[in-house]
Amino acid sequence: QDEILKNFDQHIFYHGTSYQNATGIIGRGYGEGVGLLGSGVYITCNWLIALWAMYWNNKNYSCDHGAILRVAFPEEQGY
């Protein structure tokens, strides 16, 4: 975890979700949601974890399709 924070700008982050949620995120941006670990927005550097999250969302919300979004942070926010 410390290594990721030291080199935050060098990592690619992913967010796994349902197709319906993905279209909302693309249209409106991320908003706080309720996930397996509580409220928030979950991102990961591991696309396999994003794939699992996509599957978990589809299973729990009876969706047929999912999406893995690549998360980008605006440089002006200093991440």
Side-chain angles (χ1 to χ4, degrees):
Q1 183 179 10
D2 289 338
E3 189 63 31
I4 291 172
L5 294 176
K6 287 179 189 174
N7 301 308
F8 194 81
D9 60 332
Q10 298 175 17
H11 290 277
I12 297 172
F13 293 94
Y14 304 98
H15 176 77
T17 191
S18 67
Y19 179 80
Q20 181 179 359
N21 287 346
T23 57
I25 291 168
I26 292 167
R28 295 183 304 275
Y30 286 95
E32 186 174 331
V34 178
L36 187 61
L37 301 173
S39 296
V41 174
Y42 300 101
I43 60 172
T44 179
C45 294
N46 186 330
W47 67 270
L48 289 171
I49 293 172
L51 183 65
W52 174 84
M54 179 190 74
Y55 173 77
W56 184 84
N57 260 299
N58 289 346
K59 181 178 171 219
N60 287 303
Y61 297 108
S62 300
C63 301
D64 292 332
H65 299 90
I68 297 176
L69 303 176
R70 183 175 172 176
V71 179
F73 296 95
E75 289 184 30
E76 65 270 7
Q77 291 187 2
Y79 293 108

